[in-house]
Amino acid sequence: MESTTDATEPAVAIRGVVKVFGAGTDEALTAIDGIDLTIAPGEFVSLIGPSGCGKSTLLRLIADLLPLTGGEISVFGKSAEAGRVDQDYGMAFQSAGLFDWRTVAANIELPLELMGWSKADRRARSAEMLELVKLPEFGDRYPWQLSGGMQQRVAIARALAFRPRLLLMDEPFGALDEMTREHMQNELLAIVADLDTTVVFVTHSIPEAAFLSDRVVVLSPRPGRIHSIVDVPMQARTAELREHSEFFKTATEIREALRAVEATIPSAGAPEPSPSTGEAAE
Amino acid sequence: MRRLSRLLAIAAVGLALAAVWEGYKLIGQSIGPEGGPSWLPVATDDLTMPHTWDILAAFVEPVQRGRSETLAVFLLRSAWFTLREAALGFAIGAIVGLGLALIMLRSRFLDRGLVPWINISQTVPLIALAPIVVTWGRTTFLSDTQAVSLIAAYLTFFPVAVNGLAGLKSPDPASVELMRSYAASWWQTVIKLRLPAARAYLFPAFKLAATLSVVGAIVGEISAGVRGGLGRVILDFAGRYTTGPEKLYAAVVAAGLLGLFVFWLANLAERRAMRGRAVELS
Ligand SMILES: Nc1ncnc2c1ncn2[C@@H]1O[C@H](COP(=O)(O)OP(=O)(O)OP(=O)(O)O)[C@@H](O)[C@H]1O
Ligand SMILES: [Mg+2]
């Protein structure tokens, strides 16, 4: 089920993707078994599903941090590897993962440094990003002098510092309290709207998915497959939306899909069929 | 204030040790014949155990009858000689150790194959090895003092290699993945991530290596017959023990102080290099 098929190149195209960990060994584990998904430029897509269904794995496959077992993934019409080498995406994870020997500004500048930006340009950009995540005064501090929510904002600033067209986020707000979380969600939406960024967002939170996304992809338990896709009606995503009936309708729809999915979790550990590995990654 | 109380604590322990020494001597001499009763493990006469104040006094006496130079100045000169050998040995050992750690990081094969040999290298007694190194040195362009530095390096490379490798491997997988997402090269990952993360492992190794370099230089001087350093001084004073036992003790104290001095230097370097992080740790 694809929402739009306009002429522009999809931001991410996932075709028949299979991921088996330890393929060929007797500990082979099929994490993902045949996922097709096309994400349009500028779209905000959330992945939601039971724990262990392969959400993080799918994100890592898009990021070319794991080799594919089968199928293919293209990022802006290129291979996932070319996407990584060309720095088409930025990444942010549940733990901020800042380098504690670098100041906040130096952390944000890390990808720019690796890309060979001049010092002046880096300074200018990190200052700009700090402004964007509302931490303009904290550039010279060290990460451990910041609260968890502030660290997370720095990590997002780092992920966006070189203006990637694609942002991959794995439960980035998972460790935050409810108030900070909502605040961060609003900020994230403002930032990605500003920079016209495509986002693939992994979350466990139904309200979060309903609030942030254009589409919510509900995955089935391992081996991960797409169970259903919930379209979120176009709306101004303001704080009021959280109390709006449309918002609750979407949340209910996601919740029901998740219920249906959880019901399929087998009670006993039935042996899973191992997929053919003939379709090897190139 | 903290510094002062620490110095006081160190001085107090030093005084206590001196008191134990004098106390033991006093007991031995008050209950037994000259030299104490035979069941005491160490005789207590002034030849075997000179008074602590005699040892201290020896420092300000002329090093030899008829020479104006005091023992303290003479020992300082000898310590300076040994320090230069040790410094060169430390530098060579640190570079070799870090190089080996990088090689083992780079190659899984060498990681497996090299470690046992590095461990075995430290089981060879230095006394056995030193003459070989000196003999080899004489067939090449190396001077004997440079050979002594090599002997010191033989001791110092070990902790640096072992701790360095552990430190280079210490970054969490998420950080390594982050660097990969930036398409960072192996060297970039070493420079920007692995080496900074390894500092917490390297500096303790440097501290150990610094004191080992002094030990290596002194042992090397003795077995190579190099004159001018503390090793030779200890050998000479041991040979003339009966005419001035307190001189040998003074030389041993000087060797200990030299070790303490290089340890302090390494500690200072650690503080400078770990600035920022140290605030939280202390
Ligand atoms: N490096 C790996 N090696 C082997 N198995 C792995 C590896 N990474 C993940 N898996 C397995 O793949 C499956 C999917 O893992 P994944 O981390 O993608 O789940 P997830 O949907 O992100 O779960 P969660 O919501 O708990 O984060 C799990 O069963 C996990 O054990
Ligand atoms: Mg996950």
Side-chain angles (χ1 to χ4, degrees):
Chain A
M1 159 181 177
E2 245 121 88
S3 58
T4 49
T5 39
D6 52 15
T8 58
E9 198 116 61
V12 183
I14 300 166
R15 308 231 169 285
V17 160
V18 176
K19 177 63 193 177
V20 182
F21 285 109
T25 70
D26 40 353
E27 277 166 34
L29 182 143
T30 308
I32 291 176
D33 193 11
I35 284 190
D36 292 278
L37 182 66
T38 306
I39 298 168
E43 205 177 8
F44 198 122
V45 172
S46 288
L47 306 176
I48 198 166
S51 182
C53 71
K55 303 181 292 291
S56 302
T57 303
L58 186 59
L59 216 59
R60 283 191 163 75
L61 288 170
I62 299 171
D64 186 44
L65 297 173
L66 286 174
L68 283 167
T69 308
E72 55 183 3
I73 294 180
S74 64
V75 176
F76 298 108
K78 299 174 286 190
S79 71
E81 188 186 358
R84 177 173 64 85
V85 172
D86 293 352
Q87 307 279 284
D88 278 336
Y89 69 81
M91 257 193 346
F93 289 137
Q94 180 163 13
S95 67
L98 303 174
F99 293 177
D100 59 15
W101 55 87
R102 284 177 165 253
T103 62
V104 164
N107 264 288
I108 295 173
E109 290 169 29
L110 173 66
L112 311 179
E113 239 170 85
L114 293 166
M115 292 162 94
W117 286 36
S118 78
K119 196 175 169 89
D121 289 350
R122 293 199 312 254
R123 279 279 116 158
R125 179 56 63 85
S126 67
E128 197 183 315
M129 296 313 296
L130 282 168
E131 202 74 52
L132 204 63
V133 295
K134 305 213 163 54
L135 291 169
E137 250 106 76
F138 289 86
D140 293 330
R141 302 290 184 83
Y142 283 88
W144 41 270
Q145 295 174 312
L146 271 56
S147 75
M150 289 155 89
Q151 290 182 21
Q152 202 59 45
R153 276 186 276 172
V154 175
I156 290 168
R158 179 181 62 186
L160 288 166
F162 53 92
R163 304 265 158 84
R165 293 187 279 173
L166 175 63
L167 185 57
L168 305 174
M169 305 183 97
D170 195 350
E171 300 182 46
F173 308 142
L176 306 183
D177 65 90
E178 199 59 34
M179 286 311 292
T180 317
R181 184 182 251 250
E182 285 191 5
H183 176 70
M184 291 293 298
Q185 289 166 357
N186 295 336
E187 278 185 22
L188 175 66
L189 282 177
I191 292 168
V192 298
D194 230 36
L195 303 176
D196 198 25
T197 313
T198 310
V199 186
V200 185
F201 191 96
V202 170
T203 180
H204 271 137
S205 158
I206 294 168
E208 185 166 80
F211 180 69
L212 291 174
S213 320
D214 298 314
R215 282 190 295 159
V216 180
V217 177
V218 181
L219 296 176
S220 66
R222 197 166 59 78
R225 294 194 186 95
I226 293 183
H227 170 271
S228 55
I229 298 181
V230 177
D231 276 298
V232 182
M234 283 292 280
Q235 249 169 3
R237 295 198 174 89
T238 58
E240 292 80 59
L241 175 62
R242 293 183 197 277
E243 276 111 50
H244 200 278
S245 63
E246 281 286 3
F247 173 73
F248 289 112
K249 238 180 79 189
T250 309
T252 306
E253 210 176 322
I254 299 168
R255 188 169 292 114
E256 271 161 13
L258 271 176
R259 282 233 181 85
V261 148
E262 310 259 343
T264 65
I265 297 178
S267 43
E272 55 188 80
S274 63
S276 76
T277 48
E279 215 182 333
E282 63 264 47
Chain B
M1 211 50 219
R2 183 182 283 181
R3 195 176 208 135
L4 187 68
S5 67
R6 201 167 131 195
L7 285 177
L8 281 176
I10 294 171
V13 171
L15 278 177
L17 286 175
V20 168
W21 173 280
E22 293 295 342
Y24 174 86
K25 198 169 150 72
L26 194 67
I27 292 168
Q29 286 180 324
S30 57
I31 59 176
E34 170 74 4
S38 55
W39 45 265
L40 277 179
V42 179
T44 55
D45 59 303
D46 285 353
L47 185 62
T48 318
M49 286 183 72
H51 279 293
T52 45
W53 47 85
D54 284 341
I55 296 172
L56 284 178
F59 277 102
V60 291
E61 280 160 19
V63 59
Q64 246 175 26
R65 235 184 299 276
R67 272 173 68 177
S68 61
E69 192 177 39
T70 61
L71 181 64
V73 173
F74 175 70
L75 287 176
L76 213 58
R77 218 156 35 83
S78 309
W80 171 240
F81 185 91
T82 301
L83 177 64
R84 280 177 307 175
E85 288 169 342
L88 181 60
F90 174 86
I92 296 171
I95 290 168
V96 170
L98 206 53
L100 282 172
L102 284 169
I103 287 171
M104 290 187 285
L105 177 73
R106 180 80 236 216
S107 154
R108 187 173 291 223
F109 173 77
L110 285 176
D111 189 4
R112 286 210 203 107
L114 216 50
V115 169
W117 291 106
I118 289 178
N119 286 328
I120 286 172
S121 78
Q122 299 303 304
T123 65
V124 177
L126 206 57
I127 292 287
L129 195 81
I132 299 175
V133 175
V134 174
T135 311
W136 282 2
R138 285 188 182 143
T139 67
T140 63
F141 54 90
L142 286 184
S143 69
D144 280 5
T145 53
Q146 285 167 336
V148 169
S149 292
L150 275 189
I151 294 164
Y154 190 80
L155 283 186
T156 55
F157 91 91
F158 179 73
V160 177
V162 171
N163 268 30
L165 182 60
L168 289 171
K169 286 181 173 175
S170 67
D172 57 4
S175 299
V176 177
E177 213 165 53
L178 186 75
M179 294 303 282
R180 189 173 142 80
S181 83
Y182 296 141
S185 68
W186 185 82
W187 265 114
Q188 283 179 317
T189 308
V190 166
I191 301 289
K192 303 284 185 199
L193 171 63
R194 292 189 186 276
L195 272 179
R199 284 178 314 172
Y201 292 73
L202 276 174
F203 278 98
F206 286 157
K207 283 193 259 188
L208 185 60
T211 46
L212 282 176
S213 72
V214 171
V215 172
I218 289 175
V219 173
E221 282 172 4
I222 290 175
S223 41
V226 169
R227 24 183 78 255
L230 279 179
R232 184 59 184 220
V233 168
I234 288 170
L235 205 60
D236 283 350
F237 285 172
R240 285 183 272 137
Y241 187 79
T242 43
T243 58
E246 60 283 340
K247 279 187 188 159
L248 179 60
Y249 282 101
V252 168
V253 168
L257 287 177
L258 181 59
L260 208 62
F261 173 69
V262 295
F263 184 87
W264 174 78
L265 278 184
N267 202 38
L268 204 69
E270 176 179 35
R271 287 198 178 193
R272 305 216 77 199
M274 303 288 282
R275 237 179 341 201
R277 191 80 193 128
V279 179
E280 192 201 36
L281 293 177
S282 67

